[in-house]
Amino acid sequence: MTANTSANVDVIIDTGDREIPECPHGPALLFVRYERGSSSSKFFACSAFRDRKECSFFQWESEKLSEEKKKIRQDINSKQQLKFSHQEAYDRFSKFKEQSISSRELCQTCGMFLLPGELEGHKGHRIKSPITEEMLEKPTQLFLPLDNNKTFAQYLFSAPAVDFTLKTLEDLSFTHIICVGAPRIFEAIELKKDSNVKGLLLDLDHRYQLYPASKFCRYNMFNHHFFDGQKSDDVFGQFISEEGGKRVAMVMDPPFGGMVEALAATYNKISQQWKTLSDKPQDTDLPILWFFPYFMEKRIKESLPKTFMLDYKVDYDNHMLFRGDMKKQGSPVRIFTNLSPESVILPASEGYWYCKVCSRYSAKENLHCDVCDSCPSKDGKTYKHCFKCDRCVKPSKQHCDTCKMCQRQDHRCGQSLSNGCHICGALDHKRRNCPKQGSSSTKRGAPEHNSSNRQKRKRKK
């Protein structure tokens, strides 16, 4: 199975019986880069980071490594692992809490809780002190967000978004929440001492090792990789197994530049494990709330056809574009779920209303269209119906009789809005539907995804 990512690079989900190499972040992903002229090149690259400065791993799909090179790679991967294991980090944190509040020091630059005598090694770093008990209960506010879009892309939910999510899950009687890349949701669960809801945080950020292994697993959501191996896998399996009245749901907040198809593959693996451990029918899916921009709806529904996009606009505290007060139409982030849309009650206090015809809650600007028989708006604007196109369109568009479709008023007739197929160059289809895709020749070429000047220099020699 080949899935579209961006530009002219796709990720191949079904790798068959290929031997999958590993980088410090677990099994690599296999990519294919298409070029004009029906040629393509396949290569393995890091699943977690798009920035080669953060992970320089690269290997051609056809490259066969000698045992010596495999040993060198294993040594490199080993050297790039964390300084402290999860247990060691947790033990350090326990000792840290034994200090008086005024003596506690956190290096925010390194994300390390300092023990007596360690401050000297952090000269010039950003040090926070004192550290109160209340601060330790809210580590998402204590740590500096890792907001590089090509690595962690760590943006944190606003308080209303957290409250809405937890209320929804509690109202639907879920008791165990898998928080994938959602530390603020997990943090809120931990803070609700009077609630029966429990959480398990799966995140790539090692700083959350302040939580015990029973509550946090360091995890790569793009390849379903647990860094602590079988130990974490056992914790995870026990958590998602529904027994004794447990009801499990998954909340996933991935980097918005992340590969939808790889994330969907991870969800499918988790859902299958949940079905197996909980003795669920194969046509049942693990309930999920996936937070992602509305303009990725088509890609998500292609990968997970049972999902539905809710109108709820999700705000983030530390992202200028994903805050309702910064954009007229509100945040572009929505929730994709396989729960019944009717069962997810959106807050009337924020203008959401229930559409009896659609059996779902809609945003205040999303007015029902009797012709389309739906509430059509996606982006926070009120759409209008075009009878010539027989569908609702954005208010900024009007029908063009020359183009025979609705276009922006400043458009140029006859100008294609598509770059066409990367394989054959035709404008009437994309590469995933190209009749020449299966017959394209494979060759080595400079990959656009995770490209490196080092690789280019190497080929020129």
Side-chain angles (χ1 to χ4, degrees):
M1 175 182 174
T2 302
N4 175 262
T5 53
S6 60
N8 59 338
V9 178
D10 289 346
V11 58
I12 300 176
I13 301 300
D14 185 2
T15 56
D17 57 356
R18 290 180 179 88
E19 181 181 355
I20 308 299
E22 294 196 6
C23 73
H25 306 100
L29 290 180
L30 178 60
F31 296 90
V32 56
R33 177 181 182 269
Y34 296 106
E35 300 174 12
R36 302 290 186 186
S38 301
S39 63
S40 63
S41 54
K42 295 179 181 179
F43 59 94
F44 290 101
C46 177
S47 61
F49 294 157
R50 291 181 291 157
D51 191 342
R52 289 294 300 276
K53 293 179 181 178
E54 294 296 330
C55 184
S56 61
F57 175 81
F58 177 90
Q59 179 182 318
W60 294 111
E61 188 258 352
S62 59
E63 186 178 356
K64 304 299 181 185
L65 297 185
S66 65
E67 291 302 317
E68 181 181 2
K69 285 188 176 181
K70 288 182 179 179
K71 180 63 168 60
I72 292 174
R73 176 168 291 164
Q74 290 174 357
D75 291 341
I76 292 174
N77 290 349
S78 178
K79 289 177 181 179
Q80 293 188 34
Q81 295 307 312
L82 299 177
K83 182 178 180 181
F84 301 110
S85 68
H86 190 163
Q87 187 59 53
E88 289 171 338
Y90 183 70
D91 289 343
R92 282 177 53 87
F93 180 65
S94 298
K95 293 178 181 178
F96 174 85
K97 291 193 295 183
E98 292 174 358
Q99 301 178 84
S100 65
I101 291 176
S102 59
S103 300
R104 293 172 180 170
E105 296 166 324
L106 166 67
C107 178
Q108 292 184 308
T109 305
C110 300
M112 182 181 292
F113 293 101
L114 303 182
L115 298 180
E118 293 183 341
L119 182 60
E120 184 68 19
H122 295 263
K123 284 185 177 180
H125 291 190
R126 185 168 175 175
I127 306 297
K128 187 173 184 64
S129 183
I131 307 295
T132 65
E133 292 298 323
E134 184 180 3
M135 290 177 180
L136 294 177
E137 289 182 340
K138 299 178 180 179
T140 61
Q141 298 180 27
L142 193 57
F143 299 142
L144 297 178
L146 305 175
D147 53 8
N148 182 337
N149 285 329
K150 291 185 177 181
T151 56
F152 289 89
Q154 199 173 69
Y155 300 108
L156 302 168
F157 292 128
S158 66
V162 171
D163 292 343
F164 166 76
T165 303
L166 278 189
K167 184 178 186 305
T168 297
L169 293 168
E170 288 179 330
D171 288 348
L172 295 175
S173 302
F174 289 108
T175 61
H176 287 65
I177 313 301
I178 312 165
C179 303
V180 183
R184 190 154 280 184
I185 298 293
F186 174 79
E187 181 181 278
I189 292 173
E190 286 290 289
L191 288 171
K192 295 191 73 170
K193 307 298 184 184
D194 58 342
S195 173
N196 293 324
V197 177
K198 299 183 183 302
L200 177 65
L201 177 60
L202 308 184
D203 203 289
L204 188 61
D205 190 348
H206 71 276
R207 297 176 299 178
Y208 292 106
Q209 290 180 146
L210 61 88
Y211 294 115
S214 61
K215 295 184 177 182
F216 169 73
C217 299
R218 189 161 177 257
Y219 178 77
N220 182 349
M221 70 177 77
F222 291 102
N223 58 7
H224 190 48
H225 175 68
F226 289 96
F227 286 85
D228 281 345
Q230 191 61 47
K231 182 179 179 180
S232 290
D233 199 29
D234 290 343
V235 169
F236 179 68
Q238 185 177 2
F239 186 86
I240 67 172
S241 175
E242 289 194 357
E243 54 187 21
K246 287 169 58 176
R247 291 196 66 216
V248 181
M250 176 173 163
V251 172
M252 183 166 67
D253 184 33
F256 298 147
M259 297 157 288
V260 169
E261 296 77 14
L263 293 165
T266 289
Y267 163 76
N268 286 330
K269 291 176 183 177
I270 293 176
S271 183
Q272 184 58 49
Q273 187 175 355
W274 167 76
K275 282 185 274 192
T276 301
L277 293 173
S278 306
D279 195 25
K280 297 287 185 180
Q282 284 302 307
D283 59 352
T284 304
D285 293 314
L286 174 69
I288 183 175
L289 299 178
W290 179 345
F291 296 78
F292 227 52
Y294 72 84
F295 45 80
M296 301 300 288
E297 179 185 20
K298 182 180 179 182
R299 293 266 298 279
I300 292 178
K301 289 186 72 65
E302 285 176 350
S303 296
L304 300 177
K306 293 182 181 180
T307 55
F308 178 88
M309 187 177 79
L310 302 176
D311 268 15
Y312 187 77
K313 300 169 186 174
V314 184
D315 286 350
Y316 290 76
D317 278 346
N318 60 318
H319 198 299
M320 295 296 286
L321 297 179
F322 302 147
R323 283 172 46 191
D325 58 345
M326 300 302 294
K327 291 177 69 69
K328 186 177 180 180
Q329 285 79 43
S331 168
V333 182
R334 303 290 186 268
I335 300 175
F336 295 84
T337 184
N338 53 10
L339 296 170
S340 165
E342 186 176 14
S343 68
V344 183
I345 302 174
L346 306 190
S349 59
E350 297 179 34
Y352 297 99
W353 62 284
Y354 183 72
C355 177
K356 294 181 179 179
V357 180
C358 294
S359 297
R360 54 163 281 195
Y361 289 83
S362 297
K364 59 184 177 182
E365 73 281 347
N366 193 4
L367 305 182
H368 186 86
C369 174
D370 292 329
V371 182
C372 293
D373 195 29
S374 69
C375 296
S377 178
K378 308 287 186 182
D379 65 354
K381 303 184 184 76
T382 301
Y383 286 14
K384 60 183 181 181
H385 190 83
C386 175
F387 287 91
K388 292 182 179 180
C389 290
D390 194 29
R391 65 187 181 95
C392 284
V393 297
K394 295 180 180 180
S396 59
K397 293 185 176 183
Q398 63 181 15
H399 193 84
C400 174
D401 291 327
T402 303
C403 296
K404 297 181 180 180
M405 62 184 298
C406 286
Q407 301 270 35
R408 293 182 63 90
Q409 295 184 27
D410 58 354
H411 82 285
R412 296 174 63 182
C413 292
Q415 186 177 32
S416 175
L417 299 177
S418 170
N419 292 324
C421 176
H422 284 106
I423 297 176
C424 67
L427 297 176
D428 61 347
H429 64 266
K430 294 294 186 179
R431 63 178 176 270
R432 69 177 63 188
N433 299 318
C434 182
K436 296 184 179 180
Q437 185 182 62
S439 60
S440 63
S441 60
T442 302
K443 70 175 186 177
R444 289 189 177 187
E448 235 172 70
H449 178 92
N450 281 349
S451 61
S452 82
N453 292 329
R454 176 177 61 81
Q455 289 289 337
K456 293 177 182 177
R457 290 196 299 270
K458 184 177 180 181
R459 290 196 302 276
K460 289 179 180 178
K461 291 181 180 179

